[in-house]
Amino acid sequence: MKPVVSVRHATRPWQPTEVLRGDVEDARELLEELDGVVVLTGAGMSTDSGVPDYRGPNAQRATPMMYAEFVGDEANRRRYWARNYQGWAHLGQADPNAGHRALAHWEAMDHPTRLVGLVTQNVDGLHEAAGSQRLITLHGRSAEVICLLCGQITARTDLQPRLAALNPEIQPRRDMGHAELRPDADAVVDEWQDFVVPECLNCGGVLKPHVVFFGEPVPRQRVEEAFAWCDEADALLVAGSSLTVMSGLRFARHMHRRGKPVIVVNRGATRADELATIRLDASTSEVLPALL
């Protein structure tokens, strides 16, 4: 069913005057009027792959470890890696869903509206697994580990057997639910005080997942590249993000200030709802394939 107020078409610069709830057909018609779109995704993209989100309708309240806590206290690192050891075993089984595949297909196909680029706040690697290549991972990749001393980057898969060898009495669980797991592979663990954390094989330094922790800045180059894509595109499509943190919200505000439409697809409210030209409260794995 169409909204009471029709979607505005073929005017530049775009001048949205109100939020339209709309439907998939409205969003599709809008996209057909544009030359290029940049997509911003969040944790809601991966919930249908079994990866929990931070703030969706089914998200569990949790307090993430801050960057300063991780680097400043050995006990905090021991607790974090004990949790990550469990969480990685579960998240390693996740596969891309229909939403991830739809975005990868959009990039590869000869679509009238070009996908300028895909910017994701996720660290789960599911966009890469689906085949997306024109991709900026704002918050890094959980599949990588970085040494805070020498900067060497290694594969997370190589670290898991080292953790297992140092902690043979702990068996990773593979049946964790949303209440026990977070999207960065941080799992609930009660016994962590004696957990042994390996050092960097290159220099003996402290190892950290190659992801941006809360309280840690996103690398400037990634942000600048994402803004460049926004400037090149005619619109922003937000998929599966509440935009609660500024690392994602700034792109929606940037597009709105420049009179470019913002389409939001997310379960539950977002901080960009008042900026949206079209707002769909729905699953990305259902909407994106239908949209494209």
Side-chain angles (χ1 to χ4, degrees), residues 132-170:
S132 291
Q133 297 182 26
R134 193 164 173 77
L135 176 69
I136 295 173
T137 55
L138 275 181
H139 298 159
R141 294 179 170 88
S142 61
E144 297 175 341
V145 178
I146 186 170
C147 173
L148 297 181
L149 183 58
C150 71
Q152 184 181 66
I153 297 174
T154 55
R156 179 61 181 81
T157 51
D158 294 340
L159 185 63
Q160 194 73 355
R162 294 183 62 199
L163 290 168
L166 291 171
N167 301 277
E169 71 286 356
I170 299 176

PDB file of all heavy atoms in Angstrom, residues 132-170:
ATOM      1  N   SER A 132      31.180  -9.253  -1.871  1.00  0.00           N
ATOM      2  CA  SER A 132      31.335  -7.808  -2.019  1.00  0.00           C
ATOM      3  C   SER A 132      32.814  -7.451  -2.045  1.00  0.00           C
ATOM      4  O   SER A 132      33.596  -7.942  -1.228  1.00  0.00           O
ATOM      5  CB  SER A 132      30.651  -7.082  -0.860  1.00  0.00           C
ATOM      6  OG  SER A 132      29.243  -7.207  -0.942  1.00  0.00           O
ATOM      7  N   GLN A 133      33.192  -6.582  -2.980  1.00  0.00           N
ATOM      8  CA  GLN A 133      34.589  -6.196  -3.122  1.00  0.00           C
ATOM      9  C   GLN A 133      34.807  -4.697  -2.924  1.00  0.00           C
ATOM     10  O   GLN A 133      35.824  -4.297  -2.386  1.00  0.00           O
ATOM     11  CB  GLN A 133      35.104  -6.612  -4.506  1.00  0.00           C
ATOM     12  CG  GLN A 133      35.091  -8.118  -4.716  1.00  0.00           C
ATOM     13  CD  GLN A 133      35.648  -8.519  -6.068  1.00  0.00           C
ATOM     14  OE1 GLN A 133      36.458  -7.798  -6.666  1.00  0.00           O
ATOM     15  NE2 GLN A 133      35.228  -9.666  -6.570  1.00  0.00           N
ATOM     16  N   ARG A 134      33.868  -3.885  -3.380  1.00  0.00           N
ATOM     17  CA  ARG A 134      33.986  -2.434  -3.204  1.00  0.00           C
ATOM     18  C   ARG A 134      33.461  -2.120  -1.804  1.00  0.00           C
ATOM     19  O   ARG A 134      32.316  -1.705  -1.619  1.00  0.00           O
ATOM     20  CB  ARG A 134      33.201  -1.704  -4.289  1.00  0.00           C
ATOM     21  CG  ARG A 134      33.523  -0.218  -4.359  1.00  0.00           C
ATOM     22  CD  ARG A 134      33.036   0.396  -5.662  1.00  0.00           C
ATOM     23  NE  ARG A 134      33.187   1.841  -5.683  1.00  0.00           N
ATOM     24  CZ  ARG A 134      34.317   2.494  -5.885  1.00  0.00           C
ATOM     25  NH1 ARG A 134      35.441   1.794  -6.078  1.00  0.00           N
ATOM     26  NH2 ARG A 134      34.363   3.804  -5.897  1.00  0.00           N
ATOM     27  N   LEU A 135      34.318  -2.346  -0.813  1.00  0.00           N
ATOM     28  CA  LEU A 135      33.880  -2.417   0.577  1.00  0.00           C
ATOM     29  C   LEU A 135      34.850  -1.685   1.492  1.00  0.00           C
ATOM     30  O   LEU A 135      36.066  -1.818   1.364  1.00  0.00           O
ATOM     31  CB  LEU A 135      33.806  -3.898   0.989  1.00  0.00           C
ATOM     32  CG  LEU A 135      33.467  -4.231   2.443  1.00  0.00           C
ATOM     33  CD1 LEU A 135      32.021  -3.870   2.756  1.00  0.00           C
ATOM     34  CD2 LEU A 135      33.715  -5.721   2.702  1.00  0.00           C
ATOM     35  N   ILE A 136      34.287  -0.901   2.418  1.00  0.00           N
ATOM     36  CA  ILE A 136      35.060  -0.295   3.499  1.00  0.00           C
ATOM     37  C   ILE A 136      34.549  -0.875   4.806  1.00  0.00           C
ATOM     38  O   ILE A 136      33.368  -0.759   5.121  1.00  0.00           O
ATOM     39  CB  ILE A 136      34.899   1.241   3.525  1.00  0.00           C
ATOM     40  CG1 ILE A 136      35.481   1.868   2.262  1.00  0.00           C
ATOM     41  CG2 ILE A 136      35.584   1.834   4.764  1.00  0.00           C
ATOM     42  CD1 ILE A 136      35.196   3.365   2.140  1.00  0.00           C
ATOM     43  N   THR A 137      35.445  -1.527   5.550  1.00  0.00           N
ATOM     44  CA  THR A 137      35.076  -2.064   6.865  1.00  0.00           C
ATOM     45  C   THR A 137      35.484  -1.033   7.912  1.00  0.00           C
ATOM     46  O   THR A 137      36.622  -1.028   8.379  1.00  0.00           O
ATOM     47  CB  THR A 137      35.762  -3.416   7.112  1.00  0.00           C
ATOM     48  OG1 THR A 137      37.177  -3.253   6.944  1.00  0.00           O
ATOM     49  CG2 THR A 137      35.258  -4.476   6.152  1.00  0.00           C
ATOM     50  N   LEU A 138      34.559  -0.168   8.271  1.00  0.00           N
ATOM     51  CA  LEU A 138      34.861   0.939   9.168  1.00  0.00           C
ATOM     52  C   LEU A 138      35.535   0.478  10.451  1.00  0.00           C
ATOM     53  O   LEU A 138      36.480   1.092  10.936  1.00  0.00           O
ATOM     54  CB  LEU A 138      33.574   1.688   9.531  1.00  0.00           C
ATOM     55  CG  LEU A 138      33.067   2.779   8.606  1.00  0.00           C
ATOM     56  CD1 LEU A 138      31.797   3.382   9.184  1.00  0.00           C
ATOM     57  CD2 LEU A 138      34.117   3.848   8.366  1.00  0.00           C
ATOM     58  N   HIS A 139      35.025  -0.594  11.029  1.00  0.00           N
ATOM     59  CA  HIS A 139      35.483  -1.038  12.345  1.00  0.00           C
ATOM     60  C   HIS A 139      36.437  -2.222  12.285  1.00  0.00           C
ATOM     61  O   HIS A 139      36.706  -2.849  13.313  1.00  0.00           O
ATOM     62  CB  HIS A 139      34.276  -1.378  13.220  1.00  0.00           C
ATOM     63  CG  HIS A 139      33.386  -0.191  13.465  1.00  0.00           C
ATOM     64  ND1 HIS A 139      32.063  -0.317  13.852  1.00  0.00           N
ATOM     65  CD2 HIS A 139      33.632   1.145  13.371  1.00  0.00           C
ATOM     66  CE1 HIS A 139      31.538   0.891  13.993  1.00  0.00           C
ATOM     67  NE2 HIS A 139      32.473   1.792  13.694  1.00  0.00           N
ATOM     68  N   GLY A 140      36.958  -2.516  11.112  1.00  0.00           N
ATOM     69  CA  GLY A 140      37.948  -3.584  10.998  1.00  0.00           C
ATOM     70  C   GLY A 140      37.331  -4.948  10.760  1.00  0.00           C
ATOM     71  O   GLY A 140      36.158  -5.070  10.402  1.00  0.00           O
ATOM     72  N   ARG A 141      38.145  -5.987  10.990  1.00  0.00           N
ATOM     73  CA  ARG A 141      37.727  -7.366  10.724  1.00  0.00           C
ATOM     74  C   ARG A 141      38.088  -8.261  11.908  1.00  0.00           C
ATOM     75  O   ARG A 141      39.251  -8.307  12.317  1.00  0.00           O
ATOM     76  CB  ARG A 141      38.407  -7.899   9.470  1.00  0.00           C
ATOM     77  CG  ARG A 141      37.995  -7.214   8.176  1.00  0.00           C
ATOM     78  CD  ARG A 141      38.746  -7.801   6.990  1.00  0.00           C
ATOM     79  NE  ARG A 141      38.229  -7.338   5.717  1.00  0.00           N
ATOM     80  CZ  ARG A 141      38.618  -6.238   5.101  1.00  0.00           C
ATOM     81  NH1 ARG A 141      39.564  -5.487   5.660  1.00  0.00           N
ATOM     82  NH2 ARG A 141      38.088  -5.872   3.949  1.00  0.00           N
ATOM     83  N   SER A 142      37.108  -8.986  12.392  1.00  0.00           N
ATOM     84  CA  SER A 142      37.378  -9.912  13.499  1.00  0.00           C
ATOM     85  C   SER A 142      38.213 -11.094  13.041  1.00  0.00           C
ATOM     86  O   SER A 142      38.744 -11.836  13.871  1.00  0.00           O
ATOM     87  CB  SER A 142      36.065 -10.407  14.109  1.00  0.00           C
ATOM     88  OG  SER A 142      35.289 -11.116  13.148  1.00  0.00           O
ATOM     89  N   ALA A 143      38.352 -11.279  11.737  1.00  0.00           N
ATOM     90  CA  ALA A 143      39.156 -12.378  11.200  1.00  0.00           C
ATOM     91  C   ALA A 143      40.640 -12.089  11.277  1.00  0.00           C
ATOM     92  O   ALA A 143      41.455 -12.937  10.890  1.00  0.00           O
ATOM     93  CB  ALA A 143      38.764 -12.671   9.759  1.00  0.00           C
ATOM     94  N   GLU A 144      41.008 -10.899  11.767  1.00  0.00           N
ATOM     95  CA  GLU A 144      42.421 -10.529  11.869  1.00  0.00           C
ATOM     96  C   GLU A 144      42.780 -10.157  13.301  1.00  0.00           C
ATOM     97  O   GLU A 144      41.939  -9.721  14.089  1.00  0.00           O
ATOM     98  CB  GLU A 144      42.717  -9.346  10.949  1.00  0.00           C
ATOM     99  CG  GLU A 144      42.514  -9.636   9.465  1.00  0.00           C
ATOM    100  CD  GLU A 144      42.711  -8.415   8.598  1.00  0.00           C
ATOM    101  OE1 GLU A 144      42.649  -7.291   9.123  1.00  0.00           O
ATOM    102  OE2 GLU A 144      42.910  -8.587   7.385  1.00  0.00           O
ATOM    103  N   VAL A 145      44.063 -10.325  13.621  1.00  0.00           N
ATOM    104  CA  VAL A 145      44.616  -9.964  14.928  1.00  0.00           C
ATOM    105  C   VAL A 145      45.823  -9.066  14.677  1.00  0.00           C
ATOM    106  O   VAL A 145      46.621  -9.331  13.782  1.00  0.00           O
ATOM    107  CB  VAL A 145      45.046 -11.223  15.715  1.00  0.00           C
ATOM    108  CG1 VAL A 145      45.678 -10.836  17.053  1.00  0.00           C
ATOM    109  CG2 VAL A 145      43.853 -12.146  15.935  1.00  0.00           C
ATOM    110  N   ILE A 146      45.944  -8.010  15.473  1.00  0.00           N
ATOM    111  CA  ILE A 146      47.067  -7.088  15.316  1.00  0.00           C
ATOM    112  C   ILE A 146      47.889  -7.043  16.596  1.00  0.00           C
ATOM    113  O   ILE A 146      47.343  -7.137  17.700  1.00  0.00           O
ATOM    114  CB  ILE A 146      46.581  -5.671  14.937  1.00  0.00           C
ATOM    115  CG1 ILE A 146      47.774  -4.761  14.625  1.00  0.00           C
ATOM    116  CG2 ILE A 146      45.695  -5.078  16.030  1.00  0.00           C
ATOM    117  CD1 ILE A 146      47.379  -3.426  14.013  1.00  0.00           C
ATOM    118  N   CYS A 147      49.202  -6.932  16.446  1.00  0.00           N
ATOM    119  CA  CYS A 147      50.085  -6.745  17.600  1.00  0.00           C
ATOM    120  C   CYS A 147      50.200  -5.249  17.875  1.00  0.00           C
ATOM    121  O   CYS A 147      50.528  -4.474  16.975  1.00  0.00           O
ATOM    122  CB  CYS A 147      51.464  -7.338  17.329  1.00  0.00           C
ATOM    123  SG  CYS A 147      52.667  -6.961  18.639  1.00  0.00           S
ATOM    124  N   LEU A 148      49.929  -4.851  19.095  1.00  0.00           N
ATOM    125  CA  LEU A 148      49.973  -3.438  19.452  1.00  0.00           C
ATOM    126  C   LEU A 148      51.394  -2.896  19.557  1.00  0.00           C
ATOM    127  O   LEU A 148      51.584  -1.678  19.639  1.00  0.00           O
ATOM    128  CB  LEU A 148      49.236  -3.201  20.774  1.00  0.00           C
ATOM    129  CG  LEU A 148      47.742  -3.516  20.751  1.00  0.00           C
ATOM    130  CD1 LEU A 148      47.122  -3.223  22.114  1.00  0.00           C
ATOM    131  CD2 LEU A 148      47.029  -2.721  19.663  1.00  0.00           C
ATOM    132  N   LEU A 149      52.397  -3.777  19.525  1.00  0.00           N
ATOM    133  CA  LEU A 149      53.780  -3.334  19.619  1.00  0.00           C
ATOM    134  C   LEU A 149      54.436  -3.207  18.246  1.00  0.00           C
ATOM    135  O   LEU A 149      54.946  -2.149  17.880  1.00  0.00           O
ATOM    136  CB  LEU A 149      54.591  -4.281  20.505  1.00  0.00           C
ATOM    137  CG  LEU A 149      56.052  -3.898  20.761  1.00  0.00           C
ATOM    138  CD1 LEU A 149      56.134  -2.517  21.406  1.00  0.00           C
ATOM    139  CD2 LEU A 149      56.741  -4.947  21.633  1.00  0.00           C
ATOM    140  N   CYS A 150      54.399  -4.275  17.467  1.00  0.00           N
ATOM    141  CA  CYS A 150      55.081  -4.241  16.168  1.00  0.00           C
ATOM    142  C   CYS A 150      54.138  -4.009  14.994  1.00  0.00           C
ATOM    143  O   CYS A 150      54.591  -3.769  13.872  1.00  0.00           O
ATOM    144  CB  CYS A 150      55.870  -5.537  15.946  1.00  0.00           C
ATOM    145  SG  CYS A 150      54.836  -7.005  15.651  1.00  0.00           S
ATOM    146  N   GLY A 151      52.815  -4.104  15.215  1.00  0.00           N
ATOM    147  CA  GLY A 151      51.852  -3.836  14.164  1.00  0.00           C
ATOM    148  C   GLY A 151      51.601  -4.985  13.214  1.00  0.00           C
ATOM    149  O   GLY A 151      50.844  -4.839  12.249  1.00  0.00           O
ATOM    150  N   GLN A 152      52.210  -6.138  13.452  1.00  0.00           N
ATOM    151  CA  GLN A 152      52.001  -7.280  12.556  1.00  0.00           C
ATOM    152  C   GLN A 152      50.550  -7.745  12.614  1.00  0.00           C
ATOM    153  O   GLN A 152      49.959  -7.848  13.689  1.00  0.00           O
ATOM    154  CB  GLN A 152      52.920  -8.437  12.940  1.00  0.00           C
ATOM    155  CG  GLN A 152      52.828  -9.637  11.997  1.00  0.00           C
ATOM    156  CD  GLN A 152      53.727 -10.776  12.428  1.00  0.00           C
ATOM    157  OE1 GLN A 152      53.525 -11.384  13.476  1.00  0.00           O
ATOM    158  NE2 GLN A 152      54.748 -11.053  11.631  1.00  0.00           N
ATOM    159  N   ILE A 153      49.976  -8.032  11.448  1.00  0.00           N
ATOM    160  CA  ILE A 153      48.595  -8.510  11.358  1.00  0.00           C
ATOM    161  C   ILE A 153      48.611  -9.979  10.958  1.00  0.00           C
ATOM    162  O   ILE A 153      49.276 -10.362   9.989  1.00  0.00           O
ATOM    163  CB  ILE A 153      47.800  -7.684  10.331  1.00  0.00           C
ATOM    164  CG1 ILE A 153      47.713  -6.222  10.788  1.00  0.00           C
ATOM    165  CG2 ILE A 153      46.403  -8.259  10.147  1.00  0.00           C
ATOM    166  CD1 ILE A 153      47.081  -5.305   9.760  1.00  0.00           C
ATOM    167  N   THR A 154      47.911 -10.798  11.710  1.00  0.00           N
ATOM    168  CA  THR A 154      47.844 -12.232  11.449  1.00  0.00           C
ATOM    169  C   THR A 154      46.385 -12.676  11.423  1.00  0.00           C
ATOM    170  O   THR A 154      45.480 -11.940  11.806  1.00  0.00           O
ATOM    171  CB  THR A 154      48.605 -13.025  12.526  1.00  0.00           C
ATOM    172  OG1 THR A 154      48.102 -12.665  13.827  1.00  0.00           O
ATOM    173  CG2 THR A 154      50.101 -12.716  12.468  1.00  0.00           C
ATOM    174  N   ALA A 155      46.156 -13.889  10.980  1.00  0.00           N
ATOM    175  CA  ALA A 155      44.797 -14.425  10.864  1.00  0.00           C
ATOM    176  C   ALA A 155      44.275 -14.898  12.217  1.00  0.00           C
ATOM    177  O   ALA A 155      45.007 -15.533  12.980  1.00  0.00           O
ATOM    178  CB  ALA A 155      44.764 -15.578   9.867  1.00  0.00           C
ATOM    179  N   ARG A 156      43.022 -14.593  12.486  1.00  0.00           N
ATOM    180  CA  ARG A 156      42.404 -15.046  13.735  1.00  0.00           C
ATOM    181  C   ARG A 156      42.318 -16.564  13.782  1.00  0.00           C
ATOM    182  O   ARG A 156      42.391 -17.165  14.867  1.00  0.00           O
ATOM    183  CB  ARG A 156      40.999 -14.418  13.858  1.00  0.00           C
ATOM    184  CG  ARG A 156      40.216 -14.832  15.110  1.00  0.00           C
ATOM    185  CD  ARG A 156      40.940 -14.408  16.383  1.00  0.00           C
ATOM    186  NE  ARG A 156      40.221 -14.817  17.574  1.00  0.00           N
ATOM    187  CZ  ARG A 156      40.263 -16.037  18.099  1.00  0.00           C
ATOM    188  NH1 ARG A 156      41.007 -16.982  17.494  1.00  0.00           N
ATOM    189  NH2 ARG A 156      39.603 -16.334  19.187  1.00  0.00           N
ATOM    190  N   THR A 157      42.184 -17.204  12.633  1.00  0.00           N
ATOM    191  CA  THR A 157      42.132 -18.665  12.602  1.00  0.00           C
ATOM    192  C   THR A 157      43.433 -19.286  13.107  1.00  0.00           C
ATOM    193  O   THR A 157      43.425 -20.391  13.651  1.00  0.00           O
ATOM    194  CB  THR A 157      41.853 -19.176  11.172  1.00  0.00           C
ATOM    195  OG1 THR A 157      42.780 -18.569  10.265  1.00  0.00           O
ATOM    196  CG2 THR A 157      40.439 -18.842  10.750  1.00  0.00           C
ATOM    197  N   ASP A 158      44.552 -18.587  12.933  1.00  0.00           N
ATOM    198  CA  ASP A 158      45.831 -19.104  13.423  1.00  0.00           C
ATOM    199  C   ASP A 158      45.939 -18.995  14.943  1.00  0.00           C
ATOM    200  O   ASP A 158      46.680 -19.765  15.574  1.00  0.00           O
ATOM    201  CB  ASP A 158      46.995 -18.337  12.782  1.00  0.00           C
ATOM    202  CG  ASP A 158      47.101 -18.573  11.284  1.00  0.00           C
ATOM    203  OD1 ASP A 158      46.545 -19.581  10.811  1.00  0.00           O
ATOM    204  OD2 ASP A 158      47.720 -17.742  10.600  1.00  0.00           O
ATOM    205  N   LEU A 159      45.222 -18.048  15.523  1.00  0.00           N
ATOM    206  CA  LEU A 159      45.311 -17.850  16.964  1.00  0.00           C
ATOM    207  C   LEU A 159      44.465 -18.851  17.745  1.00  0.00           C
ATOM    208  O   LEU A 159      44.836 -19.236  18.866  1.00  0.00           O
ATOM    209  CB  LEU A 159      44.863 -16.428  17.330  1.00  0.00           C
ATOM    210  CG  LEU A 159      45.014 -16.027  18.798  1.00  0.00           C
ATOM    211  CD1 LEU A 159      46.486 -16.043  19.221  1.00  0.00           C
ATOM    212  CD2 LEU A 159      44.401 -14.652  19.045  1.00  0.00           C
ATOM    213  N   GLN A 160      43.380 -19.317  17.158  1.00  0.00           N
ATOM    214  CA  GLN A 160      42.475 -20.209  17.904  1.00  0.00           C
ATOM    215  C   GLN A 160      43.169 -21.486  18.386  1.00  0.00           C
ATOM    216  O   GLN A 160      43.018 -21.862  19.556  1.00  0.00           O
ATOM    217  CB  GLN A 160      41.251 -20.555  17.051  1.00  0.00           C
ATOM    218  CG  GLN A 160      40.096 -21.197  17.818  1.00  0.00           C
ATOM    219  CD  GLN A 160      39.344 -20.229  18.707  1.00  0.00           C
ATOM    220  OE1 GLN A 160      39.725 -19.077  18.847  1.00  0.00           O
ATOM    221  NE2 GLN A 160      38.268 -20.697  19.312  1.00  0.00           N
ATOM    222  N   PRO A 161      43.965 -22.184  17.564  1.00  0.00           N
ATOM    223  CA  PRO A 161      44.662 -23.373  18.079  1.00  0.00           C
ATOM    224  C   PRO A 161      45.711 -23.044  19.137  1.00  0.00           C
ATOM    225  O   PRO A 161      45.968 -23.863  20.028  1.00  0.00           O
ATOM    226  CB  PRO A 161      45.285 -23.995  16.824  1.00  0.00           C
ATOM    227  CG  PRO A 161      45.307 -22.923  15.803  1.00  0.00           C
ATOM    228  CD  PRO A 161      44.124 -22.057  16.093  1.00  0.00           C
ATOM    229  N   ARG A 162      46.304 -21.858  19.071  1.00  0.00           N
ATOM    230  CA  ARG A 162      47.255 -21.459  20.116  1.00  0.00           C
ATOM    231  C   ARG A 162      46.527 -21.251  21.442  1.00  0.00           C
ATOM    232  O   ARG A 162      47.010 -21.667  22.499  1.00  0.00           O
ATOM    233  CB  ARG A 162      47.983 -20.171  19.719  1.00  0.00           C
ATOM    234  CG  ARG A 162      48.894 -20.287  18.509  1.00  0.00           C
ATOM    235  CD  ARG A 162      49.615 -18.963  18.248  1.00  0.00           C
ATOM    236  NE  ARG A 162      50.472 -18.590  19.380  1.00  0.00           N
ATOM    237  CZ  ARG A 162      50.928 -17.357  19.596  1.00  0.00           C
ATOM    238  NH1 ARG A 162      50.568 -16.370  18.783  1.00  0.00           N
ATOM    239  NH2 ARG A 162      51.697 -17.102  20.626  1.00  0.00           N
ATOM    240  N   LEU A 163      45.358 -20.619  21.380  1.00  0.00           N
ATOM    241  CA  LEU A 163      44.549 -20.448  22.589  1.00  0.00           C
ATOM    242  C   LEU A 163      44.128 -21.802  23.155  1.00  0.00           C
ATOM    243  O   LEU A 163      44.139 -22.012  24.367  1.00  0.00           O
ATOM    244  CB  LEU A 163      43.320 -19.592  22.275  1.00  0.00           C
ATOM    245  CG  LEU A 163      43.577 -18.113  21.977  1.00  0.00           C
ATOM    246  CD1 LEU A 163      42.325 -17.462  21.389  1.00  0.00           C
ATOM    247  CD2 LEU A 163      44.020 -17.376  23.234  1.00  0.00           C
ATOM    248  N   ALA A 164      43.767 -22.714  22.271  1.00  0.00           N
ATOM    249  CA  ALA A 164      43.340 -24.046  22.719  1.00  0.00           C
ATOM    250  C   ALA A 164      44.492 -24.789  23.383  1.00  0.00           C
ATOM    251  O   ALA A 164      44.308 -25.463  24.406  1.00  0.00           O
ATOM    252  CB  ALA A 164      42.812 -24.841  21.527  1.00  0.00           C
ATOM    253  N   ALA A 165      45.693 -24.678  22.816  1.00  0.00           N
ATOM    254  CA  ALA A 165      46.844 -25.379  23.380  1.00  0.00           C
ATOM    255  C   ALA A 165      47.229 -24.831  24.750  1.00  0.00           C
ATOM    256  O   ALA A 165      47.658 -25.580  25.636  1.00  0.00           O
ATOM    257  CB  ALA A 165      48.026 -25.274  22.422  1.00  0.00           C
ATOM    258  N   LEU A 166      47.062 -23.537  24.943  1.00  0.00           N
ATOM    259  CA  LEU A 166      47.412 -22.916  26.223  1.00  0.00           C
ATOM    260  C   LEU A 166      46.326 -23.084  27.274  1.00  0.00           C
ATOM    261  O   LEU A 166      46.591 -22.911  28.474  1.00  0.00           O
ATOM    262  CB  LEU A 166      47.681 -21.420  26.017  1.00  0.00           C
ATOM    263  CG  LEU A 166      48.939 -21.057  25.234  1.00  0.00           C
ATOM    264  CD1 LEU A 166      48.959 -19.566  24.911  1.00  0.00           C
ATOM    265  CD2 LEU A 166      50.189 -21.445  26.019  1.00  0.00           C
ATOM    266  N   ASN A 167      45.128 -23.428  26.833  1.00  0.00           N
ATOM    267  CA  ASN A 167      43.999 -23.573  27.757  1.00  0.00           C
ATOM    268  C   ASN A 167      43.265 -24.884  27.469  1.00  0.00           C
ATOM    269  O   ASN A 167      42.081 -24.879  27.112  1.00  0.00           O
ATOM    270  CB  ASN A 167      43.048 -22.380  27.613  1.00  0.00           C
ATOM    271  CG  ASN A 167      43.731 -21.053  27.885  1.00  0.00           C
ATOM    272  OD1 ASN A 167      43.868 -20.633  29.028  1.00  0.00           O
ATOM    273  ND2 ASN A 167      44.159 -20.379  26.817  1.00  0.00           N
ATOM    274  N   PRO A 168      43.963 -26.026  27.634  1.00  0.00           N
ATOM    275  CA  PRO A 168      43.384 -27.318  27.225  1.00  0.00           C
ATOM    276  C   PRO A 168      42.160 -27.735  28.032  1.00  0.00           C
ATOM    277  O   PRO A 168      41.372 -28.563  27.570  1.00  0.00           O
ATOM    278  CB  PRO A 168      44.543 -28.295  27.439  1.00  0.00           C
ATOM    279  CG  PRO A 168      45.389 -27.648  28.482  1.00  0.00           C
ATOM    280  CD  PRO A 168      45.308 -26.173  28.210  1.00  0.00           C
ATOM    281  N   GLU A 169      41.987 -27.148  29.216  1.00  0.00           N
ATOM    282  CA  GLU A 169      40.853 -27.545  30.051  1.00  0.00           C
ATOM    283  C   GLU A 169      39.551 -26.869  29.622  1.00  0.00           C
ATOM    284  O   GLU A 169      38.466 -27.221  30.108  1.00  0.00           O
ATOM    285  CB  GLU A 169      41.146 -27.195  31.517  1.00  0.00           C
ATOM    286  CG  GLU A 169      41.133 -25.709  31.860  1.00  0.00           C
ATOM    287  CD  GLU A 169      42.349 -24.943  31.368  1.00  0.00           C
ATOM    288  OE1 GLU A 169      43.274 -25.584  30.816  1.00  0.00           O
ATOM    289  OE2 GLU A 169      42.380 -23.708  31.545  1.00  0.00           O
ATOM    290  N   ILE A 170      39.631 -25.903  28.695  1.00  0.00           N
ATOM    291  CA  ILE A 170      38.441 -25.170  28.259  1.00  0.00           C
ATOM    292  C   ILE A 170      38.040 -25.646  26.870  1.00  0.00           C
ATOM    293  O   ILE A 170      38.841 -25.611  25.937  1.00  0.00           O
ATOM    294  CB  ILE A 170      38.713 -23.656  28.228  1.00  0.00           C
ATOM    295  CG1 ILE A 170      39.088 -23.160  29.620  1.00  0.00           C
ATOM    296  CG2 ILE A 170      37.493 -22.908  27.703  1.00  0.00           C
ATOM    297  CD1 ILE A 170      39.466 -21.698  29.663  1.00  0.00           C
TER     298      ILE A 170
END
